[in-house]
Amino acid sequence: MNGRTVLERFPAGGPRGSWPAEEFAQARRQEGLPAEVVMDLATDMFLVVVRASDAAGDAAA
């Protein structure tokens, strides 16, 4: 296991100038969740993820 939880998936071929994955991740960060965007080359998708240790720490708090 890679130790990350996927919150949402976005297609890489979005409209020019649109960053929906980054916008989604930013909204989660404003809520206190340490979300980040990574690229899944196998599926050509942007994934918004949190590391398992970060997610577990928030759940315990």
Side-chain angles (χ1 to χ4, degrees):
M1 180 166 276
N2 63 10
R4 292 184 274 188
T5 300
V6 177
L7 300 178
E8 191 66 62
R9 300 170 191 270
F10 295 88
R16 188 185 251 329
S18 175
W19 299 90
E22 290 291 348
E23 293 167 359
F24 183 86
Q26 177 62 28
R28 301 300 73 78
R29 288 190 293 266
Q30 289 175 343
E31 295 171 353
L33 197 61
E36 58 185 303
V37 177
V38 297
M39 179 70 184
D40 181 5
L41 295 175
T43 62
D44 197 32
M45 302 280 281
F46 288 111
L47 308 178
V48 179
V49 301
V50 291
R51 295 172 199 249
S53 60
D54 292 339
D58 289 343

